[in-house]
Amino acid sequence: MADNYLGRKMEEYEAQKCASVRTRRVSLRSLLMRNRSTRGFDTSFKVRHDQLLSLVEAARLTPSAMNQQVLRYRLVTEEEAHLILPHIRLGGALPELHLPAEGTEPNAFVVICTDKESRYVDMDMGIATQTILLRAVEMGLNGVCIAAFDHEAVRVALQLPIAPQLILAIGRSNERIEVVDIAEGDSTTYYRKGDTHYVPKLRTEDLIIR
Ligand SMILES: Cc1cc2nc3c(=O)[nH]c(=O)nc-3n(C[C@H](O)[C@H](O)[C@H](O)COP(=O)(O)O)c2cc1C
């Protein structure tokens, strides 16, 4: 407890800072709910290089098997997006929609690369990927993992010195997406009705082995 004026003011200031941090805190659950795979973007919003860099800053802090840190990241902003767009496939379960719809294409990407082969690489990549996506959501952006892409074409187009493994498209979503609870045995395939994209997720109790 400070017994002088300046000390008291300092305490009040720190207390206010804590209170405002508390009210602005976003729960992990709300980030997870908003972290839906997004295949339609607001093209008027241009993702900046520094925003992509901040996603990799988050990935830097993730666990890594034997701490080998074998992943590298190529950041792609609007000027280079045309090099990737022809080589990715979005919404494989909805081929009739030819996603992304014209005028909703992503204009930024994080291309995750590695030449290392070990059974841990995919685990590292999964952890880094989800961290990047959650950080994007925290920043008001969304993304989608893209494994369905022409690896050689992307490697050549971006002149990558190491192999691209997974592409994350990043941008401001223009989609309406909802999670639907399902039970074991129900279809897990995502679908669209009207303007809404539905993502079936198994209920927690069905995930538990008894
Ligand atoms: C490793 C991985 C690869 C994926 N590849 C693609 C892809 O190539 N194209 C695509 O449209 N979605 C892709 N997805 C997104 C999934 O379809 C999506 O995660 C799933 O439908 C569940 O939706 P949610 O992410 O909103 O929960 C991929 C997801 C993961 C984890």
Side-chain angles (χ1 to χ4, degrees), residues 50-120:
D50 65 284
Q51 290 176 308
L52 296 181
L53 205 55
S54 125
L55 303 180
V56 177
E57 266 164 18
R60 182 178 90 86
L61 298 174
T62 55
S64 163
M66 291 170 278
N67 208 24
Q68 288 187 332
Q69 305 170 69
V70 296
L71 304 177
R72 297 294 179 270
Y73 304 87
R74 172 67 151 83
L75 308 183
V76 174
T77 45
E78 198 203 0
E79 312 73 53
E80 289 186 314
H82 67 279
L83 297 174
I84 292 194
L85 279 170
H87 307 303
I88 57 171
R89 281 203 308 282
L90 290 184
L94 300 167
E96 68 285 3
L97 297 185
H98 303 288
L99 298 173
E102 211 179 322
T104 71
E105 297 86 356
N107 58 42
F109 302 89
V110 175
V111 183
I112 307 183
C113 304
T114 188
D115 270 342
K116 298 286 181 305
E117 279 179 27
S118 102
R119 68 192 203 90
Y120 299 118

Side-chain angles (χ1 to χ4, degrees), residues 32 35 55 58-59 62-65 70-71 73 112-114 118-135 144-147 165-168:
L32 288 165
N35 182 29
L55 303 180
T62 55
S64 163
V70 296
L71 304 177
Y73 304 87
I112 307 183
C113 304
T114 188
S118 102
R119 68 192 203 90
Y120 299 118
V121 168
D122 285 347
M123 300 180 198
D124 274 22
M125 198 149 39
I127 296 168
T129 295
Q130 177 72 340
T131 303
I132 286 173
L133 292 172
L134 287 175
R135 173 71 181 125
V144 61
C145 308
I146 307 169
Q165 307 289 344
L166 190 67
I167 298 178
L168 309 181

